């Protein structure tokens, strides 16, 4: 687990490909390749080899595909007019009133 203030090592696609090629040529184990190239953890080399075998890219993909994954980012709602946005917000308030009547003083909890 990452700790506050921890710095992560990043590797270029060329460094990753060199590690993969060294492993596939039989230079040594994952650990030997990691030690030879100064890679912090041998499991990283193993992950790169797996990606290479699965024909996936070794480029850093963090934050580049926010629209393609449903959990990354959130879609923005665009309105064509102020009135349309107002109606949308009113509908949201009404929905919340129906779901949580106690929060708005309309339920049997508050009198």
């Amino acid at each position: 687990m990452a700790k506050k203030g921890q710095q992560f090592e990043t590797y270029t696609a060329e460094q990753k490909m060199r590690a993969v090629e060294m492993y596939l040529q039989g230079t040594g184990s994952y650990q030997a390749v990691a030690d030879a190239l100064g890679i912090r953890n041998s499991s990283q080399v193993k992950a790169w080899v797996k990606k290479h075998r699965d024909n996936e890219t070794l480029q850093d993909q963090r934050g580049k595909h926010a629209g393609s994954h449903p959990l990354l980012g959130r879609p923005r709602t665009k309105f064509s007019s102020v009135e349309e946005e107002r109606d949308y917000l009113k509908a949201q308030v009404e929905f919340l009133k129906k779901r949580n009547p106690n929060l708005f003083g309309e339920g049997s909890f508050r009198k």
Side-chain angles (χ1 to χ4, degrees), residues 94-107:
E94 290 303 316
F95 174 77
L96 292 173
K97 282 183 180 180
K98 287 180 184 177
R99 293 237 3 201
N100 303 307
N102 294 337
L103 296 177
F104 293 93
E106 297 173 1

Side-chain angles (χ1 to χ4, degrees), residues 13-36:
E14 292 79 22
Q15 290 172 313
K16 295 174 185 180
M17 197 61 208
R18 183 159 182 239
V20 169
E21 288 171 353
M22 284 179 67
Y23 177 78
L24 293 177
Q25 291 172 359
T27 303
S29 65
Y30 295 122
Q31 185 65 50
V33 171
D35 291 342

Side-chain angles (χ1 to χ4, degrees), residues 73-102:
R74 79 176 200 199
R76 296 184 181 258
T77 306
K78 295 185 180 181
F79 302 100
S80 59
S81 68
V82 175
E83 291 80 14
E84 185 181 347
E85 183 177 5
R86 180 199 62 211
D87 294 340
Y88 176 79
L89 294 173
K90 279 185 177 181
Q92 280 186 331
V93 169
E94 290 303 316
F95 174 77
L96 292 173
K97 282 183 180 180
K98 287 180 184 177
R99 293 237 3 201
N100 303 307
N102 294 337

Side-chain angles (χ1 to χ4, degrees), residues 38-64:
I39 298 169
R40 197 176 281 186
N41 196 331
S42 62
S43 64
Q44 191 63 67
V45 177
K46 184 178 181 181
W48 296 336
V49 170
K50 182 180 183 316
K51 278 187 168 190
H52 178 72
R53 287 183 176 157
D54 293 343
N55 293 322
E56 295 179 29
T57 181
L58 294 176
Q59 292 286 343
D60 188 6
Q61 298 293 315
R62 290 175 287 181
K64 302 229 175 32

